[in-house]
Amino acid sequence: MRFLICGVNGKRAHQSLIYLFCASGGHFNAWCSRIISIWHKPLEQPTKSGIIGDMGGIGVEAALQQLQEKGYIVFENALDPHVCKRLMDFALTTPADIRAMDGEEKRAVPRTAFYSPDKPEAVRYDYKSGDLLGNPDVQDIMADQSILALAEAYLDARPKLDVVSMWWHTRFHSKGDSEAAQFYHFDMDRVKWLKVFIYLTDVGPGDGPHAFITGSHRPGAIPQYFLDRGYVRLMDDEVFAHYGKNSEVKFSAPRGTVIIEDTRGFHKGSPVSGNPRLLLQMQLSNSLFGVSYPKVFLPSQKTPALASQLKRFADVYKVYL
Ligand SMILES: O=C(O)CCC(=O)C(=O)O
């Protein structure tokens, strides 16, 4: 109610969303999304081309069909290697938050350190959103017209960019850490959304590939006995016992690969036994109802691409204004 009146998520918004998703077998989100789509005023972008190709006409139809059926789509070598290199340099010269691991006490303010490839101190290092928003390459990715076009087509709504994050998964230990999202789970922060994962390092089978259970994003695809357990992490064996091992896709791919996924489906990062993985993530949602993330502002300095998108579609970026 508070969200409808003043656009602010009250404490109970997130809990209610999870409850209604689990109680309805996922159908609640589908109903709400249909209602949100009634007010869809299409983005009029001058072009729909960008990092993931041309998302006008046939391109978007094919991508949409795969997203709807499987829950993910992969664009290999999509991001320019020079951009990957610059983002890697940024990651090696910018302090990150060390995420508390399973069994460790969470601090009110996380410990911050530079990530050292030779001496990782934890499984996961998260960069601060404020630092990411000031990075020109990140700003250009936020402005990318092809990603916005595909998100708009899938959501059937004007996308709202509401998460920009980047993190390392290291081989500090390789047993899997639930705080680092290395066990299967579904997300439920919004009504409907897409996550965009961009590999900034080459990711082989031992380098923590992202993993997804094909088709598990669809309403009704998560069995009630999992939903009755709520918003929890699941062991691989439990997930495979229901969906079969063959339903798991592990995305080994070169740096610059973009994976776009409906993370209502089961997904996780695999534990790392080989090289560390650096990943950039954005989330595009059909509504801002749900979780209230800490407020972060875009800096005054913006790339021409982002400045021009902001002029046309401030509502897409309103979380950061
Ligand atoms: O690091 C990964 O591959 C998993 C990330 C994840 O679970 C998430 O962003 O929701």
Side-chain angles (χ1 to χ4, degrees):
M1 191 47 103
R2 196 166 145 203
F3 182 80
L4 288 177
I5 296 168
C6 53
V8 173
N9 285 306
K11 268 198 190 141
R12 278 203 289 263
H14 189 210
Q15 288 310 323
S16 321
L17 187 62
I18 296 171
Y19 172 78
L20 290 164
F21 173 76
C22 293
S24 69
H27 292 283
F28 170 78
N29 298 54
W31 300 325
C32 281
S33 298
R34 258 180 246 135
I35 294 170
I36 292 167
S37 294
I38 295 172
W39 290 282
H40 181 188
K41 192 162 158 272
L43 293 176
E44 274 158 24
Q45 301 199 89
T47 144
K48 295 182 176 181
S49 291
I51 295 170
I52 57 168
D54 184 3
M55 285 296 128
I58 294 177
V60 80
E61 288 309 321
L64 200 53
Q65 194 181 342
Q66 153 130 17
L67 267 176
Q68 280 160 349
E69 273 171 24
K70 299 196 166 155
Y72 67 87
I73 182 157
V74 181
F75 301 89
E76 276 205 6
N77 296 309
L79 191 67
D80 185 321
H82 295 103
V83 179
C84 295
K85 161 88 173 64
R86 285 199 297 270
L87 287 170
M88 164 77 90
D89 291 345
F90 164 90
L92 293 173
T93 52
T94 305
D97 290 343
I98 297 183
R99 192 176 283 208
M101 293 174 285
D102 290 339
E104 285 186 334
E105 204 177 313
K106 269 195 210 147
R107 302 175 178 220
V109 180
R111 198 158 65 81
T112 295
F114 288 95
Y115 165 69
S116 157
D118 304 327
K119 249 177 104 202
E121 293 177 56
V123 170
R124 180 155 164 157
Y125 286 66
D126 293 291
Y127 292 91
K128 291 184 200 305
S129 302
D131 289 337
L132 294 169
L133 294 182
N135 181 290
D137 288 311
V138 173
Q139 291 190 358
D140 281 350
I141 295 169
M142 291 167 69
D144 186 78
Q145 312 196 40
S146 59
I147 293 176
L148 285 188
L150 179 56
E152 179 177 26
Y154 185 72
L155 301 171
D156 196 17
R158 280 169 88 94
K160 313 268 180 254
L161 178 65
D162 59 346
V163 173
V164 177
S165 51
M166 185 199 266
W167 66 88
W168 288 101
H169 272 176
T170 78
R171 58 158 180 253
F172 181 77
H173 66 60
S174 56
K175 60 180 194 264
D177 186 87
S178 67
E179 293 297 329
Q182 291 178 327
F183 292 99
Y184 274 115
H185 62 283
F186 59 83
D187 294 337
M188 194 44 58
D189 285 2
R190 297 281 180 247
V191 176
K192 188 172 184 183
W193 66 93
L194 278 176
K195 277 193 173 173
V196 178
F197 298 98
I198 307 181
Y199 283 167
L200 299 172
T201 45
D202 291 335
V203 178
D207 310 330
H210 182 75
F212 187 76
I213 301 294
T214 307
S216 59
H217 66 298
R218 291 196 288 253
I222 302 184
Q224 200 56 46
Y225 58 89
F226 282 158
L227 293 172
D228 288 345
R229 286 162 63 183
Y231 207 28
V232 294
R233 307 300 206 214
L234 299 174
M235 304 307 287
D236 286 4
D237 289 351
E238 303 177 86
V239 173
F240 298 155
H242 181 77
Y243 295 99
K245 173 91 178 88
N246 288 343
S247 61
E248 179 183 65
V249 213
K250 279 196 170 179
F251 303 100
S252 287
R255 73 175 178 170
T257 294
V258 176
I259 302 160
I260 302 189
E261 199 173 278
D262 182 339
T263 59
R264 256 186 315 183
F266 282 117
H267 64 286
K268 64 169 188 169
S270 312
V272 178
S273 54
N275 295 314
R277 187 197 73 179
L278 178 66
L279 184 145
L280 176 71
Q281 184 196 74
M282 293 195 306
Q283 176 172 283
L284 294 142
S285 307
N286 66 347
S287 147
L288 296 175
F289 177 72
V291 170
S292 174
Y293 300 126
K295 183 77 193 169
V296 191
F297 291 97
L298 266 168
S300 52
Q301 200 158 358
K302 298 173 191 80
T303 60
L306 184 61
S308 121
Q309 289 290 64
L310 273 165
K311 221 186 257 168
R312 282 189 293 244
F313 319 122
D315 58 317
V316 171
Y317 303 98
K318 82 177 208 193
V319 161
Y320 299 115
L321 299 176

